[in-house]
Amino acid sequence: MKRTSTGKIPKPACIVVAGPTASGKTGFAVQMAMALSGEIVNADAMQVYRGMDVGTAKPDEGEKRGIPHHLLDVVDPDEPFNAAIYRRLALPVVEELSSRSIPCLVVGGTGLYIRSLLGGLMEAPPSDPHLRTQLHTEWDTFGPPKLHQRLTDLDPVYARQVHPNDRVRIIRALEIIALTGRSPAMLMSQHRFRDRSLRSLKLCLDMDRKTVYDRINQRSELMVERGLVQETRALLDQGYSPDFKPMKAIGYRHMVRYLMGDWSLDEAVEKLKRDTRRYAKRQMTWLRKEADMIWIAPDRMRLAIEKVRAFLNETT
């Protein structure tokens, strides 16, 4: 490993390949890894789950093209997984690859996972089961608008960052406020993801919104053709409840509603397309606000590789 001009060993390095869902991150990253003899670390919150392949667009062996992929198929759908667990698993992989001078590409669209890996996580109290049950009951009784408004009254800054129907984040935010007396926005501003134990170069695929939306529509139909309904049915048959967090993810919750007879398949697919487009829009908004992000067109691979090589050759 190269040392800096002062004789110190530099921090482990990673290259982030980000972008909205369906923008082609996997193919782009695999092509780059092949050119650099690198390896890929997953940063997609759904691809960590075993048995959830079609609905998460998890790369198969053909798409991997021989490139080692880390943190795919880590847990079962009924096991807990979050940003803290992700960082605990991902950081040693990045450090180990860097120690062997193997380029490490962190690939995915889950912003919190990327932020936690690069900058650590703010301290927050553990979940309180009684309080969380109470908040879930209120959510089911009064509906999302009521709790989102409560969060807006208590922490308007954070509430603006959370979708009004995001049950997990709204309830967790209200829980933190109740347990600490401090708002999530305040805790974030104090932390600022400043635990910089890695050097990073952040690339984001630059694709216009219409193209992303068209790709989402096409991919949604392709997922059904490739067996999303059958995959969802198999998960239910294995005893994974529709109430489990992964089963509420885009794609799976839509197929559950179809299998339960609530929607026709056409209705489920159209709602899948709509909700995925909305998710992509939120991703793009987050990515535009992210500091130090280098935006690059998917067809500018040579330029991307030049930037990565220059970054990896830095010794100061």
Side-chain angles (χ1 to χ4, degrees), residues 120-172:
L121 285 166
M122 68 180 187
E123 291 187 9
S127 173
D128 181 300
H130 176 74
L131 176 58
R132 180 158 292 193
T133 298
Q134 177 184 327
L135 289 168
H136 276 291
T137 299
E138 292 182 30
W139 180 283
D140 293 334
T141 302
F142 302 113
K146 183 78 171 181
L147 270 72
H148 188 261
Q149 182 58 52
R150 186 188 306 174
L151 179 59
T152 300
D153 294 340
L154 295 170
D155 186 353
V157 174
Y158 186 70
R160 285 195 295 270
Q161 302 173 28
V162 180
H163 191 276
N165 292 327
D166 193 331
R167 180 179 187 135
V168 173
R169 291 181 180 172
I170 291 173
I171 286 179
R172 178 56 176 158

Side-chain angles (χ1 to χ4, degrees), residues 27-186:
F28 188 89
V30 166
Q31 188 177 347
M32 179 178 287
M34 292 176 67
L36 298 168
S37 298
E39 299 187 11
I40 290 174
V41 176
N42 168 51
D44 182 294
M46 289 302 299
Q47 291 184 0
V48 301
Y49 292 105
R50 302 184 190 100
M52 306 186 84
D53 303 330
V54 177
T56 66
K58 191 181 297 175
D60 59 26
E61 293 306 315
E63 291 169 314
K64 292 177 184 177
R65 300 179 69 179
I67 299 298
H69 282 60
H70 304 269
L71 298 193
L72 295 176
D73 300 319
V74 177
V75 292
D76 291 327
D78 59 349
E79 294 182 79
F81 201 89
N82 54 39
I85 297 172
Y86 173 78
R87 186 174 197 266
R88 189 168 70 242
L89 296 178
L91 191 57
V93 177
V94 177
E95 292 172 339
E96 195 270 337
L97 292 176
S98 189
S99 72
R100 294 191 286 128
S101 299
I102 297 175
C104 174
L105 282 66
V106 177
V107 183
T110 304
L112 182 58
Y113 282 20
I114 294 171
R115 275 188 176 179
S116 71
L117 176 61
L118 300 183
L121 285 166
M122 68 180 187
E123 291 187 9
S127 173
D128 181 300
H130 176 74
L131 176 58
R132 180 158 292 193
T133 298
Q134 177 184 327
L135 289 168
H136 276 291
T137 299
E138 292 182 30
W139 180 283
D140 293 334
T141 302
F142 302 113
K146 183 78 171 181
L147 270 72
H148 188 261
Q149 182 58 52
R150 186 188 306 174
L151 179 59
T152 300
D153 294 340
L154 295 170
D155 186 353
V157 174
Y158 186 70
R160 285 195 295 270
Q161 302 173 28
V162 180
H163 191 276
N165 292 327
D166 193 331
R167 180 179 187 135
V168 173
R169 291 181 180 172
I170 291 173
I171 286 179
R172 178 56 176 158
L174 292 172
E175 184 181 48
I176 289 172
I177 293 169
L179 294 174
T180 68
R182 293 186 293 172
S183 70
M186 180 189 301

